[in-house]
Amino acid sequence: MLPRPVRTRPPVRTRLPLALAIALTLGVTTPVRGQGMANLPDIGSSAGELISPAREAQYGAMYLRELRRHGYVLDDPLVDDWLQAMAFRLVAASERPGNDYTFFMLRSRQINAFATLGGYIGTNAGLVLTAESEDEVAAVLAHEIAHVTQRHIVRSVERAQKDTLPIMLGMLAAVIAAQSSGSSSSDNAAQAAIAGGMGLMQQRQINYTRANEHEADRLGIHTLARAGYDPGAMAVFFGRLQRSYRAVGYEGYIPDYLRTHPVTTTRISEARDRAARYQTTSGGSVCVMENDGRVVECVRSVAQGGSASIAHRNPLLPEHLSRSRLDPGAVGEPGLFDWARERLRVMSAESGAAAVAEYQRLIEGGAALSDAQRYGLGLARLRANQGKAAMAELMPLVDRHPANYWAALALAEAEFRAGRIDAARTRFDAIQASLPNSRAVALNYARVLGEIGTPEAGRRAQEVLRPLLPHAAEDYAFQQIFARASELAGDLVRAGEAHAKAAFLSGRAEDALNQLEALKRREDLDYIQRARIDARIAALTPIVLEMRRQGIGPGRG
């Protein structure tokens, strides 16, 4: 038998932050305030002295970029549209709608969601797959939004250890440890375990703190009611998780969400009782009632008409996310939750073949697939490069659901995969004409144009994407697709800038800086292009220096 390899010790700069991470995430014990105090703001908190909101945002963005670099972020324009519409509907009804938030989806099928610094809130695909309604997903997001509005993460650390090094060291310790690991299969497994647990490490700051969890439940339910969702959905979802854990009866199968948000029968009962106190009047106001029926307060709901609808014009959302097209229920179609869940099922599967096999097992078991599941099967066949089979699944759906642009986009891509390029472009043109401001439509169309690979297709892709440019600085999917379009069109400077932005947003800040430095040496730059590149280099340089100081870099991968 070969001797076990001896693993070298990581550099001191890695071990120090990792030790701090353990101290900050496992060693923090926060005093539990009295039940009445949970309803009061922490007026005396000095959390802002520990870390400023601007610094929080910087670290939150860095955290997201590192997650993306490790391949954990699910960047899909349609899923993003659905998630953002639901999330910002909740934000508009929250305690602090003016706060900055960034919502993102992770491809893991573990049941989890977490909030971290700067209003960054992640949701695992597994949580959506477990939920049975959009209200239940919204309940979890509302709870996480409350953790952000009350600054529970920073306040927990601030109460326990005001004099520690910046909590960024703890937040990125797992990333640093993963980067310094070897390349063997055991090290890869360790990296996956560490990176997958980063969300857990963030949430540990608020773990088992009854006052914080009680406050997040209370404010979350209030937000749900104001947003027009079912305020009882939180108790329903927590109850389902608790029952599923009891049925398995083995600690190793506890969902991550239950590890970070302990659910007890008492807590579920309290959430159910609290939800029962909310009533919606005929005028659309949400009233909070005492147990004896007396009205405590009434507030105007930001949405009316049920859990799947967006009846109001939310100024926080782009045009295409606030109109009835996002809500097929407005034109007699079912809501998008079921379709989003099936899309996530396919995109979180190990492969297209594995996704097809999941649906085949349902069919072989005698299940009659719903239209949303048929959509999922069509997507699975697309991912498995079965263009004609995907067309056969998707064509009837488009006929039955003419207002559902998710199905129409999938059919257009299926036509392209089946070699019917002209038909695909005609369908994409029609969808894009009906939804000219849709990010999802533009990105899907431009991606297919990029695969066509001609200069004409590149110019058309640029034309489709150009309206999104003013708001795309932090849009990873856009930058990737725009870089390809610009290359095909012969616009190499724009392509270089977009490639650099995509590298930065995928956690490769030093690569991005090097690309910009190389781009700056081109002799054909005009004054505006050179100024734009200089400004980007100036913005990136301190970020790269900070990452080097933290021991993160250069991050090529």
Side-chain angles (χ1 to χ4, degrees):
M1 179 180 295
L2 294 174
R4 292 176 60 87
V6 178
R7 185 173 301 173
T8 59
R9 299 177 70 183
V12 173
R13 68 176 184 179
T14 295
R15 288 160 41 217
L16 175 61
L18 186 56
L20 285 171
I22 294 172
L24 289 174
T25 56
L26 301 181
V28 172
T29 55
T30 305
V32 178
R33 294 182 293 171
Q35 196 76 350
M37 292 180 67
N39 295 325
L40 299 177
D42 190 352
I43 297 174
S45 174
S46 58
E49 298 177 6
L50 181 67
I51 180 172
S52 68
R55 200 69 165 168
E56 280 191 63
Q58 178 185 343
Y59 289 158
M62 191 181 298
Y63 175 59
L64 175 57
R65 294 194 297 268
E66 289 300 310
L67 281 177
R68 184 176 283 121
R69 188 173 66 83
H70 285 283
Y72 291 96
V73 179
L74 197 158
D75 286 298
D76 177 71
L78 286 170
V79 170
D80 286 345
D81 268 9
W82 171 74
L83 178 65
Q84 303 302 322
M86 172 174 50
F88 280 100
R89 173 176 165 182
L90 293 165
V91 166
S94 70
E95 297 293 301
R96 293 180 173 85
N99 280 13
D100 289 330
Y101 294 88
T102 301
F103 297 90
F104 56 95
M105 187 70 66
L106 301 174
R107 64 180 68 254
S108 171
R109 286 196 173 185
Q110 292 292 320
I111 304 169
N112 200 15
F114 59 90
T116 188
L117 298 175
Y120 283 75
I121 296 177
T123 305
N124 281 11
L127 188 144
V128 181
L129 297 181
T130 302
E132 294 185 0
S133 70
E134 184 173 298
D135 299 79
E136 294 181 16
V137 181
V140 175
L141 287 179
H143 179 98
E144 300 302 330
I145 288 170
H147 280 315
V148 173
T149 62
Q150 303 309 110
R151 302 198 73 192
H152 283 158
I153 299 171
V154 178
R155 288 163 58 194
S156 294
V157 177
E158 181 258 349
R159 290 192 195 102
Q161 292 184 343
K162 289 184 179 181
D163 298 325
T164 60
L165 293 176
I167 69 171
M168 172 60 186
L169 296 177
M171 188 181 81
L172 291 179
V175 180
I176 298 168
Q179 280 197 312
S180 64
S181 297
S183 58
S184 69
S185 58
S186 61
D187 284 336
N188 289 337
Q191 288 186 31
I194 292 170
M198 284 192 292
L200 171 64
M201 296 180 72
Q202 307 310 300
Q203 202 72 56
R204 285 285 185 183
Q205 302 299 336
I206 54 174
N207 257 1
Y208 307 104
T209 308
R210 279 179 265 168
N212 285 352
E213 289 299 289
H214 175 88
E215 186 174 45
D217 286 350
R218 176 178 62 82
L219 293 177
I221 290 172
H222 188 67
T223 296
L224 277 176
R226 289 197 64 207
Y229 286 106
D230 177 10
M234 187 177 293
V236 171
F237 186 71
F238 287 168
R240 181 178 300 110
L241 290 185
Q242 187 185 58
R243 288 192 299 273
S244 65
Y245 162 58
R246 286 176 175 173
V248 173
Y250 178 63
E251 184 176 358
Y253 287 90
I254 296 178
D256 286 344
Y257 198 80
L258 286 185
R259 294 180 187 273
T260 57
H261 298 75
V263 175
T264 64
T265 301
T266 300
R267 184 178 174 191
I268 294 172
S269 297
E270 288 178 353
R272 187 179 297 116
D273 292 344
R274 191 174 293 114
R277 297 171 55 197
Y278 286 85
Q279 295 183 11
T280 303
T281 68
S282 57
S285 295
V286 176
C287 295
V288 187
M289 319 291 288
E290 291 283 14
N291 292 333
D292 59 6
R294 288 180 300 156
V295 176
V296 177
E297 65 170 335
C298 287
V299 293
R300 180 69 178 174
S301 174
V302 300
Q304 304 171 29
S307 65
S309 69
I310 301 179
H312 67 297
R313 172 69 176 96
N314 188 341
L316 296 176
L317 294 178
E319 180 79 9
H320 71 281
L321 295 186
S322 298
R323 295 302 185 186
S324 61
R325 290 187 184 278
L326 180 69
D327 172 24
V331 287
E333 297 284 317
L336 280 178
F337 168 75
D338 291 335
W339 299 72
R341 182 170 58 181
E342 297 309 314
R343 188 172 183 88
L344 284 168
R345 191 183 310 280
V346 173
M347 301 192 74
S348 61
E350 291 184 0
S351 65
V356 171
E358 286 191 52
Y359 289 103
Q360 292 290 2
R361 285 193 293 270
L362 287 176
I363 295 172
E364 291 167 2
L369 298 188
S370 67
D371 280 356
Q373 289 171 320
R374 288 286 176 190
Y375 169 72
L377 178 56
L379 291 179
R381 294 199 183 281
L382 261 179
R383 191 177 170 195
N385 295 317
Q386 302 171 8
K388 291 183 179 178
M391 282 181 59
E393 294 290 346
L394 296 166
M395 189 75 76
L397 296 180
V398 171
D399 292 338
R400 286 196 295 272
H401 305 276
N404 189 319
Y405 67 98
W406 287 37
L409 284 172
L411 179 57
E413 184 173 351
E415 289 173 325
F416 172 74
R417 301 291 171 203
R420 301 179 57 186
I421 296 177
D422 290 341
R425 291 191 63 168
T426 298
R427 192 176 299 277
F428 271 122
D429 282 333
I431 301 169
Q432 207 259 338
S434 67
L435 291 169
N437 299 317
S438 171
R439 170 181 175 270
V441 171
L443 291 181
N444 276 278
Y445 188 11
R447 177 173 51 80
V448 169
L449 288 167
E451 293 185 37
I452 291 174
T454 64
E456 183 276 331
R459 289 189 291 272
R460 175 62 178 143
Q462 279 190 316
E463 180 185 344
V464 168
L465 294 173
R466 195 162 285 116
L468 303 180
L469 262 176
H471 308 289
E474 302 298 318
D475 190 334
Y476 172 68
F478 174 92
Q479 297 299 340
Q480 270 195 319
I481 297 170
F482 189 67
R484 172 62 175 166
S486 298
E487 278 182 353
L488 292 174
D491 190 351
L492 299 184
V493 175
R494 276 288 193 182
E497 290 181 83
H499 276 305
K501 287 182 180 178
F504 172 69
L505 293 171
S506 62
R508 297 181 294 118
E510 193 152 336
D511 280 354
L513 188 58
N514 291 336
Q515 290 177 35
L516 290 171
E517 292 285 4
L519 192 60
K520 184 181 175 181
R521 291 194 290 269
R522 289 180 63 102
E523 296 180 356
D524 58 346
L525 294 180
D526 62 32
Y527 172 79
I528 295 176
Q529 290 170 332
R530 191 173 299 278
R532 193 166 59 224
I533 293 169
D534 282 338
R536 188 64 182 153
I537 290 173
L540 272 183
T541 299
I543 295 175
V544 170
L545 292 175
E546 172 70 7
M547 293 181 72
R548 287 176 182 172
R549 189 178 70 83
Q550 298 291 351
I552 309 169
R556 296 179 175 86

